[in-house]
Amino acid sequence: MEKTLVFLDYANLNAAARANGCQVDGAALLEYLADEAEGRFLKGAFAYVPIDPRQEHAQDRAIGELWDAGYVVRSKVGTMAGSTYKCDFDVEITLDLVKTAYDMEPDIVVLVSGDSDFAQAV
């Protein structure tokens, strides 16, 4: 069995899903990525969820669903940037990815994101 770690950039994946008129099922995604029938064993799963400072509880349901699916959820409140907000998790995800991979020694590390800022980390 190959030990698998999953890191989910929730905002990035959720935005892409909405742009394509669909939703992401975090539990199904995790089952697919760590499918024991395919020889993969889930060693850990982490999801990074930004919080809109104007609606601090808007993501409560999504966070609960991610926890229930088996993710360790890390969230933080963003800062206002004009009429929207900014909540950058790139540094946290990269540091957690490197530290966790070092500690757990997985065979597979999955980073679910479309953010090109992670190209160097990959």
Side-chain angles (χ1 to χ4, degrees), residues 27-99:
L29 177 64
L30 204 51
E31 287 175 25
Y32 173 76
L33 294 172
D35 186 352
E36 289 189 23
E38 296 286 330
R40 296 182 301 271
F41 171 76
L42 183 64
K43 191 74 172 164
F46 305 88
Y48 299 82
V49 181
I51 304 297
D52 185 336
R54 299 163 298 183
Q55 302 173 8
E56 291 192 20
H57 297 284
Q59 296 291 2
D60 287 357
R61 181 176 176 190
I63 289 170
E65 290 172 355
L66 290 167
W67 275 108
D68 291 344
Y71 292 89
V72 172
V73 179
R74 304 198 197 288
S75 63
K76 72 176 178 180
V77 178
T79 56
M80 293 304 298
S83 62
T84 187
Y85 74 102
K86 178 103 173 116
C87 190
D88 196 357
F89 265 118
D90 294 0
V91 172
E92 289 92 336
I93 293 172
T94 301
L95 290 173
D96 285 352
L97 189 149
V98 171
K99 182 182 181 332

Side-chain angles (χ1 to χ4, degrees), residues 9-28:
D9 181 353
Y10 180 83
N12 188 277
L13 182 62
N14 197 39
R18 276 195 320 259
N20 288 289
C22 60
Q23 283 186 307
V24 175
D25 181 339

